[in-house]
Amino acid sequence: MSDDYQDTIDMILEAATFGELNTAMKDLHMKTRPLSAAVLVDLVVARAIGEELRDQLRRGGTKALVVEVPDGGWAEPIGDAIKSLIGDLAYVIARSSIPRGNDLNDGMLPKKLREGRVAVGVAAQPDRTLPPLLLSLAEVRVAVVAPDAEMIIEVIRKSQGGRIPKEASTLMPEMLSFDEITALIDRNGNAVETVRRIRAAIERKTGTNGSRNDSRPLPRLEDAIEYGDARTWALSLRDDIADMRKGLIGWEDIDRGCVLHGPPGTGKTLLARMLGEACGVPVVVSSIAELFANSSGYLNDVIKALRKTFDEARAKAPSILFLDEINALPNIDTVGDRNKDYWAPVIFDFYTLLDGAMSVRDGVIVIGATNRIEDIHPALLRPGRLERAIHVGAPDAAGVERIMRHHLGGDLADGDLENLAIQNVARGATGAVVMEQVRAARRLARRAGRPMVLADLEAQIVEEETRTPEELRRSAIHESGHVIAGLAVGSTLDIVSIAMSGGNGGCARLSMPTGTLVTRHQLEGVVMSLLGGRAAEQLLMGEPSQGAGGATDSDLARSTGMVASMEASLGLGHSLLFRALPEDAWQLLREPDFRRRVEKLLDELYQRTIDILHARRPALEAVVEALLKRRFLTGEEVESIIESSESVVENRESMPAQGGQRQPVATG
Ligand code: ADP
């Protein structure tokens, strides 16, 4: 045992008072800590407390100091380091958590202050953990910033030595706690292994909070093209957080929240985790609906559960709090007067927690998710709160292919997945569905005792064809009609398919580029694309089938609903009168006058669609033949078929080209 240790042991043995024993024990504690802890603490303290402040403290020029540390584990070691920096003059109160019983007072503090000592409070959440007296006296407040990659490299170099791998500079250790870092950098380890362990710990932290039923590593945000606008938002947030860490911008300059909306399984939770990994911050996953369901239903319990969730995110801040099923939060405007009194405290508490978590420095980024955006109260989307709603829909063909590749890992590396991806798009498969398909294919191969082959995956996706050739032809004509009419009015085509898929005989995925405000011309275009299927059947087969109608999501139902909403809701028909929400406008069809107007416009649009298809008949027929041969075509393939089909598509109905959103006109 070194002399150094012996001194401390002697101090312990010879301690005459409890105070002396306490000091000696602390001394021993410090000396037996891994070397990395001492190095780390020295580095962060040197960065946080500059020369000038240090001198001031030593001279007693500053009477009280508050030091905010990244997590509770830092409090004691930083407190010790500051004590040895200032010397005997210091009276340090280090709090690693909120004191039990919430009594924040420190009995000795007034006396120590009277004696002229410099009071130093060290805590992760000073305002909630340090004595109010100290807080009110503190002239100086400093923040110890969590160590970055550069600092970790320095600690490894000093405590372990050896060659440090280059990729160490890309580590994002900010989310690791003091205890985790010091446990990972042990004295006997080597640098390469240590960097690998730190990276794995960071990945575990970003990827394993909450339940993930998918053991693959997370996809990279950069690659996840299927997320569209949501990916753009996430990438820019990632860059902002990096700038904030460099001190270029403040927390208040950062877009701290959004609501992701779209069907279940489209990867909203996954996106939050990917963002966490990209930013190097932990992700807390919770669901408002589950939270309500799991508490007894008493208001107090609901509020407690909410607070616990926010507390967890704040304790890990900077962090991402993902709140799924956010529509379960009752809407104060629609709960009714009696329920209003009941729910008001919960709703009020929720907004207080939300505003609190998002506003503090290095706070919480909150991502809400819902598949019912229409139920979200506008107060949640106010500036400073979740602000924007971003749609996450079923992926397009390129997106599905990327998701398939992700879940396949290295399997089927030579397999051509394009056709399977297109079939998945045709059935509107989400990322979760694709994951299940790959899993089922893998199971099939495992049971057969051989590596996976493309047929295993096909078996999950391709449905057996039961239609007669005549029925298939009609289906090809119907879908081609949607395609030709859609392209003529300025839509773009992702894919068209006549394969049986999810109970549907075919589909054309078209989208109309629109601004955020859709015009009459554009909506008429969407209706004409919808009517294109029936019009093509009439044109090429002499009479249409009932395939365009019959269901509430059929071509005819959607066209009728759209024209009705133009007339009664959007001010894009004959009248400016607002009479219903767009989705309710069809209910006015009971009124004879209204019905006549809607019917007249529908007839007009149908006739214009027939005219368009008539003028493009060679192109229409060429697409039908290609579809019958191949079953699926991509937008690009269709473009080239049309080009080579002599019918040079002239006189396209001119549509104002606008950037921005796209109006989906996927048709079945
Ligand atoms: P949501 O939150 O929208 O309901 P999840 O994020 O829970 O959807 O997705 C469920 C699972 O589906 C994920 O764990 C993942 O395996 C798979 N998945 C969904 N979207 C994607 C995607 N874009 N890329 C890879 N896998 C995905």
Side-chain angles (χ1 to χ4, degrees):
M1 188 176 293
S2 70
D3 287 344
D4 207 22
Y5 276 103
Q6 194 54 55
D7 285 352
T8 312
I9 303 286
D10 288 343
M11 269 166 65
I12 293 172
L13 293 174
E14 286 157 26
T17 63
F18 184 72
E20 279 176 21
L21 179 65
N22 203 18
T23 316
M25 289 298 286
K26 272 195 171 166
D27 198 41
L28 179 68
H29 191 182
M30 239 171 90
K31 284 178 183 156
T32 49
R33 258 194 216 125
L35 184 60
S36 60
V39 178
L40 184 61
V41 167
D42 284 351
L43 283 172
V44 295
V45 170
R47 215 183 253 194
I49 302 184
E51 225 23 84
E52 199 182 325
L53 178 58
R54 199 171 303 187
D55 283 340
Q56 225 176 5
L57 291 166
R58 279 192 187 128
R59 280 187 281 108
T62 297
K63 287 288 169 223
L65 168 73
V66 165
V67 181
E68 188 179 332
V69 292
D71 69 73
W74 288 91
E76 218 193 292
I78 296 270
D80 291 344
I82 293 177
K83 190 160 172 60
S84 50
L85 205 71
I86 308 178
D88 280 342
L89 203 56
Y91 176 65
V92 176
I93 302 172
R95 297 243 161 109
S96 54
S97 57
I98 302 172
R100 260 197 227 151
N102 272 3
D103 180 11
L104 303 179
N105 289 319
D106 178 290
M108 300 295 285
L109 182 61
K111 181 170 171 283
K112 299 286 175 189
L113 286 166
R114 276 197 300 275
E115 286 169 11
R117 305 276 282 271
V118 177
V120 182
V122 190
Q125 294 172 304
D127 297 318
R128 299 182 63 191
T129 38
L130 291 177
L133 176 63
L134 176 57
L135 290 170
S136 65
L137 291 181
E139 299 124 308
V140 185
R141 219 178 151 121
V142 295
V144 167
V145 192
D148 52 17
E150 203 183 304
M151 232 183 230
I152 293 292
I153 292 173
E154 188 65 15
V155 176
I156 298 177
R157 180 173 296 125
K158 287 204 166 129
S159 57
Q160 295 184 331
R163 194 189 67 80
I164 311 233
K166 246 215 215 103
E167 67 270 19
S169 61
T170 62
L171 287 174
M172 300 245 191
E174 282 84 352
M175 59 183 310
L176 295 178
S177 70
F178 176 80
D179 292 336
E180 285 163 338
I181 298 176
T182 50
L184 286 163
I185 313 180
D186 66 10
R187 212 187 283 246
N188 304 321
N190 75 62
V192 175
E193 182 56 15
T194 300
V195 169
R196 193 196 63 72
R197 285 170 62 203
I198 293 179
R199 187 179 303 285
I202 295 170
E203 278 169 9
R204 267 197 305 282
K205 252 190 139 170
T206 39
T208 52
N209 174 284
S211 58
R212 268 187 85 209
N213 59 354
D214 166 13
S215 55
R216 303 211 65 73
L218 297 169
R220 276 160 41 97
L221 198 53
E222 289 88 338
D223 303 335
I225 45 164
E226 66 277 12
Y227 284 103
D229 290 347
R231 170 174 162 272
T232 312
W233 176 81
L235 282 171
S236 117
L237 179 57
R238 177 201 63 179
D239 295 344
D240 280 352
I241 289 193
D243 283 350
M244 183 187 78
R245 285 196 171 127
K246 288 185 211 142
L248 298 176
I249 57 172
W251 175 252
E252 61 287 353
D253 302 317
I254 288 182
D255 211 357
R256 281 153 284 172
C258 78
V259 173
L260 301 175
H261 65 103
T266 44
K268 298 182 289 297
T269 319
L270 186 70
L271 182 68
R273 293 189 204 281
M274 284 157 57
L275 180 61
E277 187 169 70
C279 300
V281 302
V283 183
V284 174
V285 174
S286 179
S287 152
I288 297 285
E290 254 172 50
L291 214 128
F292 281 13
N294 293 340
S295 22
S296 61
Y298 290 110
L299 276 192
N300 251 348
D301 288 346
V302 171
I303 289 178
K304 260 194 221 148
L306 266 176
R307 288 192 183 160
K308 198 165 155 246
T309 304
F310 275 91
D311 276 352
E312 187 187 347
R314 277 186 82 146
K316 294 181 173 169
S319 62
I320 294 174
L321 173 57
F322 179 80
L323 293 175
D324 206 357
E325 298 176 276
I326 202 153
N327 50 295
L329 187 77
N331 184 334
I332 198 75
D333 296 341
T334 53
V335 287
D337 279 347
R338 262 187 52 228
N339 285 337
K340 203 174 261 184
D341 290 342
Y342 180 81
W343 283 115
V346 176
I347 298 170
F348 179 76
D349 209 59
F350 175 83
Y351 282 117
T352 312
L353 289 167
L354 181 71
D355 293 341
M358 291 177 77
S359 63
V360 289
R361 191 178 63 80
D362 288 6
V364 180
I365 291 157
V366 180
I367 301 182
T370 180
N371 50 5
R372 297 191 54 83
I373 190 69
E374 61 279 13
D375 290 351
I376 299 296
H377 194 273
L380 196 61
L381 296 166
R382 252 184 227 149
R385 289 198 181 139
L386 305 190
E387 273 188 48
R388 70 192 74 214
I390 308 177
H391 185 247
V392 181
D396 66 6
V400 169
E401 200 167 332
R402 197 210 65 76
I403 300 172
M404 285 174 137
R405 284 271 168 238
H406 170 76
H407 288 286
L408 282 168
D411 290 337
L412 306 184
D414 299 330
D416 182 356
L417 301 181
E418 193 184 355
N419 270 357
L420 293 181
I422 290 173
Q423 298 205 48
N424 262 332
V425 175
R427 63 163 58 174
T430 61
V433 169
V434 172
M435 184 217 17
E436 280 304 333
Q437 291 168 346
V438 174
R439 200 177 263 184
R442 197 164 269 136
R443 204 178 305 127
L444 210 62
R446 196 172 54 241
R447 297 221 171 116
R450 52 164 174 73
M452 193 185 347
V453 290
L454 198 59
D456 293 327
L457 194 55
E458 270 165 8
Q460 314 305 321
I461 301 169
V462 181
E463 286 177 36
E464 200 189 338
E465 183 56 73
T466 52
R467 288 168 291 184
T468 63
E470 175 79 356
E471 285 168 333
L472 253 183
R473 178 161 205 89
R474 187 179 282 281
S475 177
I477 288 171
H478 185 99
E479 299 310 332
S480 303
H482 285 310
V483 169
I484 299 293
L487 293 178
V489 297
S491 291
T492 48
L493 175 70
D494 181 23
I495 58 121
V496 51
S497 150
I498 55 162
M500 283 302 289
S501 184
N504 269 332
C507 103
R509 284 184 71 101
L510 289 151
S511 60
M512 164 84 75
T514 64
T516 40
L517 298 174
V518 184
T519 65
R520 173 179 176 142
H521 197 54
Q522 288 166 330
L523 279 183
E524 286 183 353
V526 174
V527 172
M528 283 155 72
S529 324
L530 286 166
L531 296 176
R534 186 183 197 275
E537 287 185 50
Q538 181 168 339
L539 196 66
L540 298 190
M541 301 194 89
E543 62 169 354
S545 68
Q546 47 86 48
T552 49
D553 61 348
S554 63
D555 297 340
L556 293 184
R558 289 174 63 198
S559 304
T560 307
M562 276 182 130
V563 172
S565 71
M566 285 162 66
E567 287 285 341
S569 183
L570 305 176
L572 298 176
H574 294 83
S575 163
L576 296 183
L577 203 62
F578 175 86
R579 302 188 55 206
L581 290 172
E583 61 272 27
D584 298 332
W586 63 271
Q587 295 182 20
L588 302 171
L589 290 168
R590 276 185 234 104
E591 300 171 13
D593 275 355
F594 184 71
R595 191 173 62 228
R596 262 194 296 278
R597 275 214 298 277
V598 170
E599 207 171 0
K600 184 159 171 284
L601 183 51
L602 270 176
D603 285 347
E604 266 172 45
L605 293 175
Y606 186 62
Q607 193 49 55
R608 274 165 62 192
T609 313
I610 297 247
D611 294 345
I612 286 176
L613 296 183
H614 186 70
R616 292 163 175 75
R617 189 170 175 141
L620 178 63
E621 286 174 340
V623 175
V624 171
E625 292 315 316
L627 254 185
L628 280 171
K629 218 183 277 160
R630 302 256 321 275
R631 296 283 195 277
F632 332 93
L633 298 168
T634 64
E636 282 160 23
E637 285 167 341
V638 167
E639 290 279 355
S640 73
I641 291 167
I642 293 175
E643 260 169 42
S644 54
S645 71
E646 290 158 1
S647 112
V648 179
V649 185
E650 282 167 351
N651 304 330
R652 285 191 167 204
E653 290 218 354
S654 64
M655 301 294 298
Q658 290 182 31
Q661 276 178 265
R662 304 190 77 79
Q663 181 92 351
V665 275
T667 52

